Amino acid sequence: CALPISTKMGMKINLDNYLRKQSTYVLNLALTSRPPAIGAEYAYVSHKAIACFDAGCGGRELLMPQYKAQRPEQPEGLQTAFEAFRTAIAEQGDKVLSLPIDKKDTCAEADDMIATAAAMCKDRGYPSVIITGDRDMLQLIDDSTMCVVYDTLKKTYFDEAAAQKRMGVLPRDMLAYKILAGDPSDNIAGCVGVGTTR
């Protein structure tokens, strides 16, 4: 499929080509990275990657009907492009696990699955690298268990110090911060007068 869309600068990009290039980049990064914040220990871990896809809202819309209600509809054909990403993942064999395995029995956002996988790694003492452009994932960073985030937009690794510099709070305090300040990207209001200033 070819899905030309407009960027904020008015340029046209082919979404299908973009997603194919991104999927190749992210898969290669996931299977070959050596995060400096983790160091030598990471080199001894079997390079297994997990790719997560949204499969519902995890019940959030039932609790908060306005959740993400302000977001525009997905571009037509975007799911077809994601299927191309799934195909690229399948070609990696058992090196990459794609979640959810069964979309029919799953109601969870990709974020939920990523956080669960990171928690399982933490419980088992495995280091983990979360590859994303989503700042919400910074709350999962934990230097003591060697969980770092690689920001695909900034092309850099985030440990606790870097996350605090970026967000103004430590990763472990992000939940409290989001509760107070809200999250406009998800259409969640915070307390009046609480939030960042520029």
Side-chain angles (χ1 to χ4, degrees):
C1 65
L3 305 169
I5 61 172
S6 296
T7 65
K8 288 182 179 179
M9 298 176 67
M11 298 170 56
K12 296 281 186 179
I13 63 168
N14 185 296
L15 185 57
D16 185 50
N17 287 342
Y18 172 77
L19 286 175
R20 287 176 193 274
K21 288 178 182 175
Q22 279 294 99
S23 65
T24 301
Y25 165 69
V26 170
L27 285 174
N28 287 337
L29 183 67
L31 296 171
T32 63
S33 64
R34 293 285 192 277
I38 287 179
E41 294 91 343
Y42 190 75
Y44 297 104
V45 175
S46 175
H47 285 302
K48 300 278 184 180
I50 301 172
C52 301
F53 295 86
D54 284 335
C57 67
R60 291 172 178 84
E61 291 173 356
L62 300 175
L63 296 171
M64 185 178 288
Q66 73 271 25
Y67 179 67
K68 293 186 178 180
Q70 87 289 8
R71 293 191 179 184
E73 292 291 321
Q74 287 186 344
E76 185 179 342
L78 182 60
Q79 287 305 316
T80 305
F82 279 136
E83 288 307 317
F85 192 9
R86 289 181 186 272
T87 300
I89 290 167
E91 290 170 356
Q92 297 292 327
D94 64 358
K95 290 189 288 185
V96 181
L97 172 65
S98 179
L99 295 179
I101 295 171
D102 185 355
K103 288 190 279 189
K104 293 178 184 175
D105 296 327
T106 305
C107 181
E109 291 189 2
D111 292 7
D112 303 326
M113 294 177 242
I114 292 168
T116 300
M120 292 175 73
C121 285
K122 178 178 180 177
D123 289 345
R124 289 160 176 77
Y126 298 144
S128 57
V129 180
I130 301 166
I131 301 173
T132 181
D134 187 346
R135 288 184 299 171
D136 286 347
M137 294 291 101
L138 296 178
Q139 66 188 294
L140 301 175
I141 294 171
D142 187 334
D143 288 356
S144 66
T145 58
M146 297 183 293
C147 176
V148 298
V149 168
Y150 180 83
D151 189 323
T152 55
L153 302 175
K154 296 191 175 297
K155 300 198 177 342
T156 188
Y157 288 98
F158 280 81
D159 58 8
E160 287 186 9
Q164 183 177 22
K165 185 176 180 181
R166 176 77 174 90
M167 297 299 296
V169 294
L170 285 166
R172 63 178 170 267
D173 297 326
M174 277 187 64
L175 176 59
Y177 170 77
K178 290 273 187 177
I179 290 170
L180 292 170
D183 190 342
S185 68
D186 289 336
N187 205 29
I188 299 173
C191 299
V192 176
V194 176
T196 58
T197 57
R198 302 269 182 223

